[in-house]
Amino acid sequence: MSRHKIVRTMNLADELDDYDGDDYYEEEENEGMSQADKAKMADGLRRVREVIGDDVPTITNDKIEETLWYYYFDVERSITYLLMGATEKKKQKKTAAVDSSKARATFWDTRDSKYWRIDPRNIDNRIPPGVWDDIPFGGVPICRLAELVPPPIPVGARTTGLLGGSGPQPGKVSKLAALAKARSKAKAEKAAEVAGNDSSQSTTAVSLLNRLSKKVSTPIPVEAPAPMPVTPTPAAATEYDPPASESIPQQNDKIPTEKTRPNFIADPDSTPKALPSGFAKSMFGRRLDEMLLDLDEEIADAQLIYFSVAPSQKAAAKAKQGFEGPSPDDVVIAAQSQSKGLNKGQKAEKSSSTATTSIQKGVDGLKIAEPPEKPTAPKIARKKIDVVAEYEKSKAKRKENANLVVIGHVDAGKSTLMGRLLYDTGVVDERTIQKYKQEAEKIGKSSFALAWVLDQTGEERARGVTIDIAVNAFETEKGRFTILDAPGHRDFIPNMIAGAAQADFAVLVIDSSPGEFEAGFNIRGQTKEHALLVRSMGVQRIIVAVNKLDLLHWDQDRFDEIRQQMSQFLTTAGFQSKNVSFIPCSGLTGDNIVRKPEEGLVSWYSGPTLIEELETAKPVAKAIEKALRMTITDVYRGGVTNPVTISGRIEVGNLQIGDTIIGIPGDEKATVKGIEVDNETTEWAVAGNNVQLHLAGIEMDHLKIGDVVCHADSPLVPLKEFEAKILAFESLTPMMVDIHRGRLNASGRITKLVATLDKGNGTVTKKKPRHISPGSLAVISILVTGAPLPLEKGSRVVLRADGLTVAAGVVE
Amino acid sequence: MRLIKQQIERDGSGIVTLYPEEPEDMWHAYNLIRVGDTLRASAVRRIVSESSTGSTSSSRVHMSLTITVDKVDFDSQAGQLHINGRIAEENKFVKIGAHHTLDLELNRNFTIGKAEWDSVSLGVVREACDPAEKAEIGAVVLHEGLANVCLITEHMTVLRQRIDMSIPRKRTGSISAFEKAMDRFYETIYQSILRHLPVANLKVILLASPGFLAESLQKYIFAEAVKSDNKMILSAKPKFVTVHCSTGHVHALNEVLKSPAVIARLADTKYAKETRAMESFFKMMQTDEDRAWYGPKEVERAIEKGAVGTLLVSNSLFRSNNMSERRKYVQMVEEVKASGAGEVMILSSIHESGQRLDGLGGVAAILIFPLQDLDESDEESEAEAAVDNPGDGGLQ
């Protein structure tokens, strides 16, 4: 079959449909729409249709599918959402533009197409009613326009000889390419003249740049792209000009998408300006007239929706020609890939304000094939910012960040409560939660869905236990919070200590169900151990969340009983009663966490919700002027450009880009290349910030979790043996202990019991005691078994032995 | 070890000839040989001879040398014993007083001569030559990022390899780095087990960790063994036992060895008994403070009063180079034994339980009846002693 026959018999809509589909098929895979999801989608669609019926015009298949996707195939929720939406849709429809019934158009909703192709019942190309409801005809947002993709052409059918690997010899350019080159040059010059008259300087610069890229690229042999199939239908004779679309603010584009679609622009040379036909008039009405009026001005801006109506043979040929040469896109790409000097050219142009011609000369003078500069190790400049002053300045506009550690007995519902908090504050979206719900149901743990927001490793999910600290952040109107979700299981207390060491205040979660509170509160329960630990790590403010009260029908007596017992205990543990508050809540249902419980449900409680209580907690003031100290909580590869990244919370001091740091006890120095505070890049950071530091000049092996980062000029001296003033939780004799400080976990030996102290005034009650009984204050001396530890006077340490916290204290 | 010849006079002086058979015997030899003893063993020495014309030639000569011991050095990792001393018996190659370092070798006799063979030394000889069945176990204690691969024999705990790896923590959105690192961590442990533990000869291989790591490691080991078709590991499958402990540091072995799963399998071994004894001491300390005492002076007083039920002594005390100090401890042991009521346990200082005891000053006692204020008078005398000897603190 000859080429033009193919063209003649081709159904444009079908073609577009196909290629569109192919195009998006790939995207789908990227999004992760698996085969199973597709099956679910088809099933969900059928079930929704059963309920709603086929006759609701505003509810289209694609809308249903989109809704299903959002709710992760939850049919009921989707239906309610759709039915609610249907009423609102009707109002909008009235205001929408006319004449959609005849529409059989060449544009395509990007998201629609993918599902139509999946559902076999929809294969019949019939466009469901209501697709175009929200789009005025002719006013299709650019983001929804389809892209024309050339079909693969059999080798024999090629019309020009420019294809394939056998590119033309350098210097020997084919006639067509030469023609294209000449044309594009002429066009660019013309555009430059117009642009030159234009007052906007930035436009000039960029359009020049476009020209530059074209000009520069001409001597470079470029592999010509496949010729576009020319379709003698409306809206086909078009030419892309992406650089233009980048530079000029888009006028009729309302929704910018990730993938900006090329504008259809007019090429004044290639297409005749015919009067609109009657058909076109009826289709586009008033819009068309306006367009024609504005045509001349808009050509200058190269920004117009243009369509040729019933093109002549000649015009078609001309249009075809437009695709024969390398498309401007290819030219630009080719030029960019080969030209190292391009960026320089850009800079030069920006700084210059002289006439365009002189710039052009200057640009011509630039060498393209400059040998690439030898990449030298970037010397990171230190800006010498006065961080303390900057911090004081920014204090007013910044929300204070507070770290809160969530503690409590195992299975008290810590992770679920925090999952709920993140969900209700909008950090986690509906879809993710629905997904977790389904997956959790599959393994028979449906109540764990919210906890999965924080418990992400396979082990944690399979066992239903948090193992390591999970860090998440959320923001309310009054402040920013970083949640450290601690594990409750006694085996993972080292991890919990790591979390508590970074916390400003604590949320103690208590399971109020019968027997469970008591289990957590007894001698081996973690409720007590955790509370004591956070207190001895320096946390002063504690919020007790009495969880799972929904199971007890919000029983006030139970709440009061727990409150009474807990406040007694917390007072003895050293918390001031004004720093302790109690909140009844339910993590699973979400009552009294972010939203108030339903009216009448908890009639006896009128206090704040958990989040309101959090907002009242003020972070503790930090010593930002002192020498830098930060315990490394993680060392990892931050990406291609940041091979070594460390994270942690700055305990004391401040830090800026360019600083030289050292990880004690190592002695390798590194330079701070970049700082991220709560995932935003900054130039400096102060005590209290949760930071990620991108480092240069160091290998990952030289930094370990638990090391302390200091400035190289004020390092800390690691200790092999030290004395500590401790509070004993268990009986102490000279023995082997684990020494914990934040993430640091080392082994050591208590070598001497120096003295026991009086709790009231700190005077020595007995020198060299034989053993230290639980609850007493004492001074002991500890020898580190392995390498010296990064400790100094005032460091808080926790000592553990045989799975119990035996003591906590401060290095003397 | 085999006893070849024993010749001890009435006054306690004499010689003992021993034949070491396995690396552990070096540990026994280390506990026997003191500074001042004589030691005769085979040695290789380079001899330089000068001819009448003045040219020199050197040759390596095998000979038996007798030295007076100056220094004893034990390498527990390699199981080697190096003894430094001066030649005590002249032969045609070497003169008296020349220095020599003897490296004791397996399967070669050596003879120890002491001026005084006390009961403890003879006890060591007896113990070393006890042909009872040896129970060796392998143990891996680990927590995230740290693993210690140990070999526990009757008298020794040898740390074969310490694995310390940096494992990225879980972060929101990225757990793959964590999981990859964990896999690498398991792989390293697996390789270490293959290289450092004689799996076929071991009675049990303990995998101990907090949480679920040990189980995951066990799973990994067998998955790998199946993959690489490692018959040795697969056939040893029932030997692998997972135990819970609270940390991955070596001292967690204390916890491991007292766990019921281990006791059931290894009840009769010496180290299990030692661990149990230490455990009962600490328990006594918590329940009845006045019946558990530690430290040389306190225990000495308790012995004077005849109150000691169980005496725990670390063998590190008998390695002391100070003859009078050593004699003091020997006397304590003999006294308790003589009293009839008491039991004496000499703990191997290279086991974890022995190290715990060393932390208490090397000697501890569980009393039959409570005694109070054994340390009171100590404090007073301490104050005096502190003037002339500030370093003497009782617990070192």
Side-chain angles (χ1 to χ4, degrees):
Chain A
M1 203 195 276
S2 73
R3 182 74 196 145
H4 74 268
K5 257 190 182 168
I6 296 177
V7 170
R8 203 186 316 162
T9 53
M10 185 161 61
N11 180 340
L12 178 68
D14 280 355
E15 287 303 308
L16 287 174
D17 190 350
D18 276 356
Y19 298 129
D20 244 13
D22 282 348
D23 202 11
Y24 289 116
Y25 207 76
E26 278 172 20
E27 273 180 28
E28 266 164 41
E29 279 173 355
N30 292 340
E31 280 170 27
M33 176 102 171
S34 67
Q35 210 62 40
D37 283 348
K38 284 177 198 164
K40 273 187 197 162
M41 185 63 84
D43 182 54
L45 182 65
R46 186 179 47 76
R47 280 163 59 189
V48 173
R49 273 292 178 216
E50 273 170 18
V51 178
I52 300 180
D54 293 334
D55 48 348
V56 187
T58 52
I59 300 172
T60 57
N61 277 359
D62 53 295
K63 192 159 284 162
I64 294 169
E65 276 156 351
E66 200 181 320
T67 317
L68 280 168
W69 184 241
Y70 181 74
Y71 285 110
Y72 204 71
F73 312 124
D74 188 323
V75 174
E76 272 104 276
R77 298 181 82 151
S78 305
I79 290 168
T80 17
Y81 172 78
L82 285 166
L83 290 177
M84 273 168 67
T87 44
E88 285 172 30
K89 265 276 136 58
K90 269 177 194 161
K91 288 177 204 159
Q92 280 185 13
K93 199 181 169 188
K94 277 177 190 166
T95 56
V98 284
D99 253 350
S100 64
S101 56
K102 280 185 199 169
R104 173 82 181 165
T106 55
F107 52 78
W108 209 249
D109 185 307
T110 55
R111 269 181 298 188
D112 296 349
S113 59
K114 75 176 142 195
Y115 299 129
W116 285 355
R117 298 182 49 72
I118 296 150
D119 191 348
R121 287 172 305 107
N122 282 314
I123 263 177
D124 63 352
N125 282 341
R126 204 175 50 217
I127 300 169
V131 186
W132 315 117
D133 281 357
D134 53 345
I135 307 165
F137 201 79
V140 185
I142 286 172
C143 64
R144 299 182 80 175
L145 286 175
E147 208 176 338
L148 288 169
V149 178
I153 298 159
V155 180
R158 279 179 186 156
T159 48
T160 59
L162 286 172
L163 286 173
S166 59
Q169 304 281 318
K172 191 190 163 197
V173 185
S174 80
K175 277 181 191 169
L176 270 172
L179 180 67
K181 179 182 131 191
R183 266 188 51 210
S184 61
K185 197 173 171 183
K187 193 173 111 192
E189 264 163 18
K190 194 176 170 188
E193 272 170 36
V194 179
N197 298 338
D198 210 311
S199 58
S200 156
Q201 214 196 330
S202 68
T203 322
T204 320
V206 184
S207 65
L208 259 173
L209 185 65
N210 293 342
R211 234 165 348 122
L212 168 69
S213 62
K214 280 177 196 169
K215 216 175 150 109
V216 152
S217 65
T218 36
I220 301 158
V222 178
E223 202 180 67
M228 297 284 278
V230 179
T231 46
T233 42
T238 53
E239 193 177 67
Y240 299 136
D241 196 356
S245 77
E246 277 162 30
S247 63
I248 299 158
Q250 300 188 347
Q251 291 169 351
N252 47 355
D253 190 355
K254 284 168 206 137
I255 318 143
T257 51
E258 314 108 77
K259 197 179 167 186
T260 16
R261 306 208 159 266
N263 289 334
F264 288 85
I265 64 131
D267 185 346
D269 303 330
S270 62
T271 36
K273 287 171 206 132
L275 277 176
S277 69
F279 171 62
K281 268 185 185 157
S282 70
M283 275 174 81
F284 300 102
R286 208 167 44 81
R287 252 185 82 76
L288 190 66
D289 295 327
E290 285 169 16
M291 236 180 317
L292 286 171
L293 278 175
D294 296 335
L295 194 62
D296 289 335
E297 292 151 41
E298 291 192 17
I299 286 170
D301 286 333
Q303 171 75 107
L304 174 69
I305 294 179
Y306 183 84
F307 43 91
S308 71
V309 183
S312 66
Q313 197 77 12
K314 198 174 151 197
K318 223 172 184 183
K320 186 178 164 188
Q321 234 177 23
F323 292 96
E324 308 252 11
S327 82
D329 257 5
D330 295 44
V331 175
V332 170
I333 290 163
Q336 278 171 348
S337 66
Q338 298 204 9
S339 154
K340 286 260 157 42
L342 186 65
N343 290 336
K344 267 196 174 166
Q346 191 173 5
K347 232 184 228 166
E349 272 179 309
K350 267 189 187 160
S351 59
S352 150
S353 59
T354 46
T356 47
T357 46
S358 72
I359 298 167
Q360 225 172 319
K361 265 182 203 161
V363 168
D364 285 341
L366 277 176
K367 262 188 195 163
I368 299 155
E370 253 174 31
E373 280 173 45
K374 202 158 191 206
T376 47
K379 182 94 177 154
I380 298 139
R382 191 171 187 270
K383 284 192 180 167
K384 293 182 186 157
I385 303 167
D386 184 355
V387 175
V388 178
E390 285 288 324
Y391 173 71
E392 292 299 329
K393 252 190 271 169
S394 69
K395 220 174 187 178
K397 49 187 169 175
R398 261 216 296 205
K399 283 186 199 171
E400 279 298 324
N401 180 69
N403 280 16
L404 64 111
V405 65
V406 189
I407 54 173
H409 193 59
V410 66
D411 287 341
K414 293 177 292 300
S415 298
T416 304
L417 189 71
M418 287 306 117
R420 167 63 70 182
L421 197 61
L422 292 173
Y423 173 39
D424 285 354
T425 49
V427 178
V428 184
D429 62 5
E430 173 77 30
R431 210 183 91 70
T432 316
I433 294 286
Q434 291 298 332
K435 192 170 166 186
Y436 287 158
K437 264 189 191 157
Q438 286 212 344
E439 284 168 11
E441 251 163 48
K442 228 179 254 170
I443 61 167
K445 292 183 174 173
S446 54
S447 66
F448 281 85
L450 282 165
W452 282 15
V453 174
L454 297 132
D455 296 350
Q456 296 198 324
T457 63
E459 188 93 68
E460 287 179 325
R461 290 189 178 173
R463 308 213 181 237
V465 176
T466 309
I467 291 175
D468 204 350
I469 290 277
V471 185
N472 267 289
F474 69 93
E475 200 166 327
T476 67
E477 284 162 21
K478 290 179 187 156
R480 296 172 60 95
F481 296 92
T482 305
I483 302 177
L484 302 148
D485 180 44
H489 195 281
R490 69 188 174 97
D491 277 357
F492 309 120
I493 286 191
N495 294 337
M496 178 262 163
I497 291 171
Q502 301 175 54
D504 290 314
F505 57 96
V507 175
L508 175 60
V509 182
I510 286 177
D511 186 345
S512 64
S513 41
E516 289 298 324
F517 164 64
E518 286 75 10
F521 198 62
N522 75 10
I523 188 76
R524 291 283 173 265
Q526 267 69 57
T527 305
K528 274 187 170 175
E529 186 171 6
H530 277 187
L532 283 171
L533 270 174
V534 292
R535 183 68 195 90
S536 54
M537 311 279 287
V539 173
Q540 299 192 331
R541 176 101 169 77
I542 192 164
I543 297 167
V544 183
V546 182
N547 196 17
K548 304 196 188 177
L549 270 174
D550 56 323
L551 295 177
L552 298 164
H553 311 289
W554 302 91
D555 182 3
Q556 186 179 4
D557 293 345
R558 180 66 173 171
F559 177 71
D560 288 342
E561 180 194 344
I562 291 171
R563 173 151 74 176
Q564 191 259 327
Q565 286 198 38
M566 279 310 297
S567 44
Q568 198 180 5
F569 165 70
L570 290 174
T571 316
T572 54
F575 288 99
Q576 291 181 317
S577 54
K578 70 170 162 71
N579 284 335
V580 180
S581 46
F582 290 83
I583 312 264
C585 62
S586 165
L588 202 61
T589 63
D591 287 314
N592 212 27
I593 290 172
V594 173
R595 63 175 169 81
K596 294 253 178 207
E598 279 169 45
E599 204 64 35
L601 191 59
V602 195
S603 50
W604 45 270
Y605 182 79
S606 58
T609 59
L610 179 59
I611 204 154
E612 286 165 358
E613 189 62 35
L614 289 180
E615 283 170 343
T616 65
K618 284 273 167 289
V620 196
K622 294 276 191 307
I624 60 168
E625 297 94 347
K626 286 194 183 161
L628 173 74
R629 298 289 182 265
M630 180 188 113
T631 307
I632 300 176
T633 54
D634 199 359
V635 182
Y636 55 95
R637 200 181 140 84
V640 186
T641 49
N642 301 312
V644 183
T645 302
I646 59 173
S647 70
R649 184 176 208 218
I650 301 180
E651 289 143 38
V652 191
N654 59 64
L655 179 77
Q656 59 182 291
I657 289 181
D659 280 357
T660 308
I661 58 159
I662 183 165
I664 306 289
D667 53 359
E668 290 288 323
K669 286 179 185 165
T671 313
V672 179
K673 198 167 68 166
I675 302 176
E676 280 182 39
V677 176
D678 299 316
N679 295 324
E680 280 167 31
T681 50
T682 58
E683 292 193 320
W684 48 269
V686 295
N689 289 151
N690 301 304
V691 295
Q692 290 173 299
L693 304 180
H694 305 301
L695 302 181
I698 195 165
E699 294 283 312
M700 219 193 251
D701 299 341
H702 293 131
L703 293 165
K704 272 178 62 186
I705 291 171
D707 285 1
V708 174
V709 170
C710 305
H711 275 131
D713 48 6
S714 57
L716 165 154
V717 182
L719 299 173
K720 177 75 182 170
E721 189 167 11
F722 60 93
E723 278 196 0
K725 189 196 262 180
I726 50 111
L727 175 69
F729 298 143
E730 303 285 331
S731 165
L732 289 182
T733 51
M735 59 185 184
M736 299 294 290
V737 286
D738 287 8
I739 305 164
H740 293 273
R741 177 183 181 275
R743 274 284 183 207
L744 183 74
N745 177 357
S747 85
R749 174 199 297 281
I750 300 178
T751 51
K752 262 185 226 167
L753 308 178
V754 179
T756 48
L757 304 177
D758 187 274
K759 267 191 166 176
N761 51 24
T763 52
V764 174
T765 53
K766 190 179 181 192
K767 270 189 183 169
K768 292 198 174 183
R770 219 158 52 86
H771 83 279
I772 296 165
S773 46
S776 52
L777 203 61
V779 178
I780 57 171
S781 140
I782 297 167
L783 178 76
V784 181
T785 313
L789 296 182
L791 297 171
E792 61 186 339
K793 189 174 171 10
S795 304
R796 288 175 182 276
V797 290
V798 174
L799 306 178
R800 288 173 58 78
D802 289 0
L804 293 172
T805 301
V806 293
V810 184
V811 175
E812 293 249 288
Chain B
M1 196 111 82
R2 273 188 299 184
L3 181 61
I4 305 297
K5 192 168 129 192
Q6 187 176 356
Q7 204 172 33
I8 293 168
E9 309 293 333
R10 282 273 172 87
D11 63 353
S13 66
I15 54 154
V16 169
T17 305
L18 294 162
Y19 176 78
E21 290 168 306
E22 47 189 78
E24 207 185 14
D25 292 339
M26 290 301 158
W27 168 248
H28 294 300
Y30 175 54
N31 284 316
L32 274 178
I33 299 167
R34 297 275 63 81
V35 172
D37 293 352
T38 58
L39 178 69
R40 186 177 179 78
S42 68
V44 179
R45 200 171 158 98
R46 200 165 60 98
I47 304 297
V48 181
S49 57
E50 196 176 319
S51 70
S52 52
T53 58
S55 66
T56 57
S57 64
S58 79
S59 55
R60 290 159 61 83
V61 181
H62 280 264
M63 66 183 94
S64 276
L65 284 178
T66 308
I67 60 168
T68 313
V69 177
D70 278 346
K71 208 177 102 195
V72 187
D73 178 36
F74 179 62
D75 178 356
S76 67
Q77 291 282 322
Q80 280 178 331
L81 191 58
H82 312 287
I83 299 133
N84 214 317
R86 277 160 295 126
I87 306 290
E89 275 176 30
E90 206 173 33
N91 63 16
K92 69 172 181 180
F93 299 112
V94 283
K95 293 199 180 104
I96 276 188
H99 284 272
H100 189 88
T101 301
L102 285 174
D103 295 344
L104 292 191
E105 284 174 76
L106 291 183
N107 305 320
R108 274 189 204 277
N109 286 350
F110 63 90
T111 306
I112 304 166
K114 280 178 186 289
E116 186 191 347
W117 284 92
D118 53 45
S119 63
V120 173
S121 303
L122 290 173
V124 173
V125 174
R126 211 176 310 120
E127 204 176 82
C129 301
D130 185 4
E133 199 198 338
K134 302 276 189 285
E136 293 190 343
I137 61 173
V140 182
V141 283
L142 67 154
H143 67 228
E144 240 166 65
L146 176 71
N148 287 292
V149 181
C150 308
L151 182 65
I152 305 172
T153 63
E154 195 82 4
H155 303 281
M156 285 164 67
T157 301
V158 186
L159 173 64
R160 299 312 295 265
Q161 191 173 22
R162 184 184 141 93
I163 298 161
D164 195 349
M165 279 170 82
S166 173
I167 294 192
R169 297 292 166 163
K170 76 170 185 189
R171 278 176 297 136
T172 2
S174 156
I175 52 159
S176 63
F178 166 77
E179 281 171 355
K180 223 187 269 170
M182 282 309 282
D183 248 21
R184 216 173 53 229
F185 180 52
Y186 290 144
E187 167 68 19
T188 317
I189 298 173
Y190 176 63
Q191 291 303 336
S192 172
I193 290 175
L194 290 183
R195 196 165 307 146
H196 294 296
L197 297 182
V199 176
N201 303 331
L202 296 177
K203 211 172 170 189
V204 183
I205 296 150
L206 300 171
L207 309 176
S209 79
F212 321 108
L213 277 180
E215 286 161 45
S216 309
L217 175 65
Q218 191 182 23
K219 245 183 251 163
Y220 182 91
I221 288 172
F222 291 120
E224 275 302 300
V226 168
K227 229 187 273 172
S228 58
D229 196 24
N230 190 327
K231 293 259 165 43
M232 184 182 71
I233 295 283
L234 289 175
S235 63
K237 195 166 183 175
K239 288 185 190 173
F240 283 84
V241 179
T242 58
V243 193
H244 177 269
C245 70
S246 64
T247 157
H249 297 294
V250 190
H251 60 83
L253 281 177
N254 276 321
E255 237 178 291
V256 173
L257 291 178
K258 74 183 185 211
S259 71
V262 177
I263 286 176
R265 283 183 176 229
L266 307 164
D268 305 330
T269 56
K270 186 169 183 287
Y271 46 82
K273 278 184 200 155
E274 287 175 1
T275 311
R276 232 176 302 147
M278 278 313 288
E279 207 43 51
S280 55
F281 173 79
F282 281 111
K283 209 168 271 170
M284 188 63 86
M285 181 86 108
Q286 272 161 26
T287 52
D288 192 353
E289 205 187 312
D290 292 333
R291 282 182 62 196
W293 288 90
Y294 66 86
K297 282 177 189 156
E298 290 84 347
V299 174
E300 212 175 338
R301 279 187 204 116
I303 293 171
E304 277 168 24
K305 295 194 165 106
V308 173
T310 311
L311 179 68
L312 305 165
V313 196
S314 162
N315 63 7
S316 64
L317 293 180
F318 301 113
R319 286 200 298 269
S320 163
N321 290 334
N322 184 338
M323 209 52 208
S324 64
E325 199 179 314
R326 182 184 152 85
R327 211 169 278 146
K328 185 177 83 186
Y329 291 118
V330 172
Q331 221 168 356
M332 278 164 69
V333 170
E334 282 170 353
E335 239 171 82
V336 173
K337 272 184 185 161
S339 74
E343 184 195 352
V344 178
M345 288 189 91
I346 297 176
L347 272 62
S348 176
S349 66
I350 206 169
H351 274 319
E352 276 308 312
S353 52
Q355 286 188 356
R356 263 173 111 180
L357 185 58
D358 274 350
L360 297 173
V363 55
I366 303 173
L367 309 190
I368 316 168
F369 50 86
L371 284 177
Q372 277 161 0
D373 304 334
L374 284 177
D375 54 340
E376 284 273 301
S377 51
D378 178 45
E379 236 168 60
E380 288 152 25
S381 63
E382 184 88 11
E384 293 156 24
V387 181
D388 37 72
N389 188 8
D392 179 38
L395 327 157
Q396 309 243 304

